[in-house]
Amino acid sequence: MQKNVDGRDKPGHDANSREKKMPEITVSMAEGRTDEQKAGMMRDITQALVKNLGVDADAVVIQINEAPLRHKMKGGKTFVERAAAAKK
């Protein structure tokens, strides 16, 4: 008999398991939002996971990774360059 090496043979792995894993969400975004905006977004994400995954809000971990606008690029231009071009 071949041993299952990817963990599917371990207890708690099947779809019917009552075990609920901690959802951990990372949001990557350009800096510039207020603390209130970020807190509101994280509350909304938490509630979406509670509703759709059936987890407790206390199990949800959310982390925001922010980058300066000069460190993010879209379409070959940094966000600073894009903002300057939009003002012209």
Side-chain angles (χ1 to χ4, degrees), residues 25-37:
I25 305 299
T26 303
V27 177
S28 298
M29 58 194 240
E31 68 181 2
R33 274 72 172 208
T34 66
D35 288 343
E36 292 80 18
Q37 289 173 315

Side-chain angles (χ1 to χ4, degrees), residues 39-84:
M41 177 193 66
M42 290 187 287
R43 277 191 289 277
D44 289 348
I45 291 170
T46 298
Q47 289 309 306
L49 295 173
V50 168
K51 176 184 173 188
N52 293 291
L53 301 183
V55 297
D56 292 331
D58 284 343
V60 177
V61 175
I62 300 171
Q63 175 178 318
I64 297 174
N65 294 330
E66 291 182 283
L69 296 177
R70 66 186 181 281
H71 293 173
K72 289 187 74 78
M73 184 174 280
K74 181 177 178 182
K77 294 182 181 178
T78 67
F79 278 50
V80 171
E81 294 167 333
R82 293 171 68 83

Side-chain angles (χ1 to χ4, degrees), residues 7-14 17 19 21:
R8 284 184 266 180
D9 58 338
K10 293 190 169 94
H13 186 78
D14 62 349
S17 172
E19 181 181 327
K21 302 285 185 193

